[in-house]
């Protein structure tokens, strides 16, 4: 028995838990509050995609005459082939049946429906894949074919990472969702509620908290809450997470509280702690007006009231504890592979421990972003030593050494400190995160990040136009983005860029020029992955708060439920949606290293102007001479191993000099440098002192140390021996 049950409703990801409940459970541990968490989404998927369930699905579809398309007719005709292999496919995608890859890759072993049609266009992508990845991709297509059958024949709202998402997107009124909840339960609802009831009977909670990160989780959260209210009316129900934090800040429809007793906003730790005290504490229950709340909506005397009467401050990030993934079936998540987008493969393949380097965004200026809300506005970094403590705790708990830092934008200084701490502790980890393409990501910093286990970064280039980047207040230029992405790429860190079209006042010419910039970035090889999305106006962004400054006219509706995405009219009158197909098709080709010579016009079925961008703009941006000035405060770090040293002498014109030869070995090669003995001995001492195991020394400290014995440190620093070390792990940070 546990007083609290934390639930992520269907659906988010197949490969790894969404971290909201794990963050909360980790915090509750620090307060010695018992809680059980469940990822209802993965449990429903595993119940849905098994032989016994699909036997029933095929029969239901046939008996109810739901099979309409040729594609689903084909799947039904091949049902025995699907049923034979389904359980083995799921085991394989869970990493438990790896020898099955050879069967999967056998020609015509798997039944193939419409999803496999794309294979004709993907032969070039398969060439770079090993057998396990190829098999995983084929297995992914197989279960996507079955998902298409579910959508047509069983439940049109089904989706692997979302459910009934249309009901949550821009749902200014509650009417449509409320009406759907009055209908009979769907087949997937029945599975969901059976699993939920089993868990409730087992845990016997007093308070159930739903974490609802996205619109695609909303319907299931409400359907589950409806079931609990009908069958377990004594249990109190709360909702928090990304969706209410952004969409339900002005909710007024009291029907919402037929399903939920509480809706909490922003950081959930203190609000949940207070709800626990109010609902689960052993003291006699007090009247609701006497209870303390933090950023919580409640229904009081038939009216929705926002309660924020607690005098307690929110917890600092150092005090919220380490995320706790216990209770979740970590060995049963399903990894899938999507060839089209390298970064998407990170999101969908493998199980990642989620952590946050810093709460909020250290930049906090982008005009399309919800910078007025606390989750962006309140910036608070976590000390690198504490972060690595948490990493070690999670490794011990989960057995996984992969980490996804889910920051709004990870700060370069903290990433540097984190990398040094990881290397100092000699941890072998793999990690990736989201960044801003800012100039502090130097070549040496990127090398350090790679040495610590960083494999990928994502960041917003948005509209690749300097005028619009300035209007966005992005704080970067296209030239700067090119240089930073080059630094990451040369360090062998994959770079994904978020790309935007349709920003207010964006012209057709700017869209075409932006595409040309993106084409060049991929052509020179400094971008490996990207994704175009059309600008969306959100109510809590600077554009949403001051639309008149950006040349748009919002169409505000009568809002009683969700309030985030806002319809608007752009003063340009351009239909930006017409660019969607061409932008995405061209990007698909660029990501696979083809199509660079195709004229931009050929990606579109309507006339576009020629680009105004110099065809060598990105190339020239990367050809600039490097700056050799080193700040006195720059930290000097040696990542290499200590050398083997031998001594020899040279005699020239009757004068004998002693020299030291250093032989360095790295994982791939070895190299030598030679120095005069005295300077060599100085360097030998310094190399030991500037490894990550010691406190970093500044360039000024090295200069002072050198010049207590010798002259002209700059001449020594820029000479060939140090340049060789600079290419092999001697970093200036």
């Amino acid at each position: 028995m546990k007083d609290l049950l934390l639930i992520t409703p269907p659906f988010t990801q197949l490969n790894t838990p969404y971290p909201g409940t794990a963050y909360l459970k980790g915090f509750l541990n620090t307060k010695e509050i018992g809680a059980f968490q469940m990822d209802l989404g993965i449990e429903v998927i595993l119940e849905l995609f098994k032989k016994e369930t699909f036997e029933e699905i095929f029969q239901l579809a046939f008996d109810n005459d739901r099979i309409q398309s040729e594609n689903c007719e084909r799947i039904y005709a091949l049902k025995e082939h699907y049923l034979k292999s389904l359980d083995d496919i799921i085991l394989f995608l869970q990493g438990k049946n790896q020898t099955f890859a050879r069967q999967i890759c056998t020609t015509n072993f798997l039944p193939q429906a419409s999803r496999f049609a794309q294979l004709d266009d993907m032969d070039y992508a398969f060439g770079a894949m090993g057998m396990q990845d190829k098999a995983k991709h084929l297995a992914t297509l197989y279960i996507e074919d079955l998902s298409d059958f579910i959508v047509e024949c069983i439940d049109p709202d089904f989706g692997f990472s979302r459910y009934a998402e249309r009901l949550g997107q821009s749902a200014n009124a509650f009417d449509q969702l409320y009406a759907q909840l009055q209908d009979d339960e769907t087949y997937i609802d029945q599975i969901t509620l059976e699993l939920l009831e089993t868990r409730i009977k087992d845990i016997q909670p007093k308070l159930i908290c739903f974490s609802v990160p996205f619109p695609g989780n909303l319907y299931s959260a409400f359907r589950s809450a409806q079931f609990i209210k009908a069958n377990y009316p004594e249990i109190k129900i709360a909702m928090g997470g990304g969706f209410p934090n952004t969409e339900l800040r002005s909710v007024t429809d009291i029907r919402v509280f037929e399903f939920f007793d509480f809706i909490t906003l922003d950081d959930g730790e203190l609000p949940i702690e207070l709800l626990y005290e109010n609902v689960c504490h052993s003291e006699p229950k007090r009247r609701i007006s006497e209870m303390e709340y933090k950023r919580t909506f409640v229904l009081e005397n038939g009216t929705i009231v926002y309660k924020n009467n607690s005098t307690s401050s929110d917890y600092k990030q150092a005090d919220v504890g380490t995320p706790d993934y216990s209770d979740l079936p970590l060995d049963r998540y399903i990894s899938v592979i999507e060839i089209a987008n390298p970064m998407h493969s990170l999101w969908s393949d493998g199980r990642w421990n989620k952590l946050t380097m810093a709460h909020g965004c250290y930049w906090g200026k982008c005009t399309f972003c919800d910078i007025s809300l606390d989750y962006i506005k309140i910036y608070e970094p976590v000390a690198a030593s504490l972060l690595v403590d948490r990493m070690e705790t999670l490794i011990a708990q989960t057995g996984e050494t992969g980490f996804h830092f889910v920051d709004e934008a990870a700060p370069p200084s903290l990433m540097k400190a984190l990398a040094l701490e990881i290397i100092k502790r000699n941890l072998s980890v793999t990690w990736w995160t989201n960044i801003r393409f800012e100039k502090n990501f130097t070549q040496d910093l990127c090398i350090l990040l790679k040495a610590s286990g960083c494999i990928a970064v994502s960041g917003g280039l948005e509209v690749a136009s300097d005028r619009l980047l300035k209007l966005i207040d992005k704080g970067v230029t296209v030239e700067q983005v090119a240089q930073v992405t080059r630094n990451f790429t040369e360090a062998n860190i994959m770079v994904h860029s978020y790309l935007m079209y349709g920003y207010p006042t964006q012209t057709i010419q700017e869209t075409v020029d932006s595409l040309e910039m993106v084409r060049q970035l991929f052509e020179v090889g400094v971008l490996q992955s990207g994704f175009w999305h059309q600008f969306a106006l959100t109510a809590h962004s600077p554009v949403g708060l001051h639309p008149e400054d950006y040349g748009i006219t919002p169409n505000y509706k009568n809002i009683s439920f969700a309030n985030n995405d806002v319809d608007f009219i752009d003063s340009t009158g351009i239909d930006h949606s017409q660019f969607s197909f061409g932008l995405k098709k061209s990007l698909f080709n660029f990501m696979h290293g083809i199509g660079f010579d195709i004229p931009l016009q050929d990606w579109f079925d309507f006339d576009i102007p020629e680009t105004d961008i110099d065809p060598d703009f990105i190339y020239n941006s990367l050809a600039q001479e490097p700056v050799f000035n080193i700040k006195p405060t720059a930290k000097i770090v040696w990542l290499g191993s200590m050398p083997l040293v031998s001594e020899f002498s040279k005699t020239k014109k009757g004068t004998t000099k002693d020299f030291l030869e250093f032989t360095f070995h790295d994982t791939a090669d070895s190299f030598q440098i030679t120095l005069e003995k005295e300077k060599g001995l100085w360097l030998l001492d310094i190399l030991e002192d500037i490894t990550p195991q010691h406190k970093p020394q500044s360039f000024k400290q090295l200069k002072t140390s050198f010049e207590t014995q010798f002259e002209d440190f700059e001449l020594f620093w820029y000479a060939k021996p140090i340049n060789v070390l600079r290419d092999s792990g001697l970093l200036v940070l």
Side-chain angles (χ1 to χ4, degrees), residues 409-643:
S413 59
L414 183 50
M415 291 174 69
K416 176 175 70 176
L418 174 71
L420 288 169
E421 188 69 18
I422 289 171
I423 296 169
K424 176 182 177 181
R425 300 194 197 186
N426 201 29
L427 287 181
S428 177
V429 295
T430 303
W431 61 276
W432 53 292
T433 191
N434 189 56
I435 63 163
R436 293 180 61 251
F437 293 124
E438 63 160 82
K439 60 184 178 182
N440 288 331
F441 288 110
T442 62
Q443 185 178 45
D444 281 14
L445 177 53
C446 292
I447 292 170
L448 175 72
L449 298 177
K450 177 62 179 178
S452 73
C454 180
I455 58 166
V457 294
S458 58
L461 172 54
E462 318 306 352
V463 181
S465 154
D466 285 341
R467 180 188 79 84
L468 290 170
L469 286 172
K470 186 175 181 180
L471 187 61
I472 291 172
D473 204 358
K474 193 69 184 177
V476 301
T477 63
V478 177
E479 181 180 284
Q480 180 179 314
V481 170
Q483 293 164 356
V484 169
T485 55
R486 185 263 314 276
N487 292 341
F488 278 108
T489 298
E490 290 184 347
N492 202 24
I493 296 173
M494 183 176 73
V495 184
H496 172 88
S497 182
Y498 301 105
L499 305 165
M500 183 189 297
Y501 62 101
Y503 190 81
T505 72
Q506 182 173 355
T507 65
I508 291 176
Q509 184 68 58
E510 285 172 324
T511 300
V512 173
D513 290 348
S514 185
L515 173 58
E516 171 61 16
M517 290 288 201
V518 171
R519 185 195 69 78
Q520 291 186 31
L521 287 165
F522 276 96
E523 186 175 33
V524 300
V526 298
L527 268 188
Q528 293 79 51
S529 178
F531 184 79
W532 287 103
H533 67 277
Q534 188 168 349
F535 168 79
L537 175 62
T538 60
H540 311 292
S541 67
V543 182
L545 295 171
H546 306 286
E548 65 280 359
D549 295 342
Y550 298 88
I552 61 172
T553 304
N555 178 22
Y556 294 114
K557 300 176 181 177
N558 183 22
I559 296 169
S560 59
F561 186 54
N563 178 26
N564 193 33
D565 287 1
V566 180
D567 292 334
F568 67 95
I569 298 172
D570 191 330
S571 59
T572 64
I574 297 170
D575 176 16
H576 294 285
S577 63
Q578 66 183 325
F579 290 96
S580 177
F581 181 79
L583 291 174
K584 293 174 182 177
K585 182 179 180 181
S586 60
L587 183 62
F588 177 87
N589 283 268
F590 299 159
M591 282 192 290
H592 291 96
I594 57 177
F596 298 122
D597 296 331
I598 296 176
L600 299 186
Q601 175 63 70
D602 290 2
W603 300 115
F604 302 94
D605 58 5
F606 56 92
D607 289 338
I608 61 169
E610 291 188 4
T611 181
D612 288 337
I613 304 300
D614 186 306
D616 294 321
F617 178 87
I618 297 297
Y619 178 84
N620 292 335
S621 297
L622 298 176
Q624 297 180 12
E625 291 295 321
V627 177
F628 287 103
N629 294 331
I630 299 177
K631 293 180 179 179
T633 55
K635 303 302 181 186
I636 311 300
V637 174
W638 170 241
L639 293 183
S641 59
M642 295 305 294

Side-chain angles (χ1 to χ4, degrees), residues 356 358-362 369 375-376 405-410 434-436:
T356 307
H359 181 287
C361 180
Y362 69 97
C369 187
Y375 82 97
I376 300 287
F405 289 95
V406 291
D407 288 63
E408 298 300 325
N434 189 56
I435 63 163
R436 293 180 61 251

Side-chain angles (χ1 to χ4, degrees), residues 3-17:
D3 285 336
L4 266 64
L5 176 57
L6 311 173
I7 299 177
T8 305
F11 295 107
T12 49
Q13 289 177 263
L14 298 177
N15 63 308
T16 198

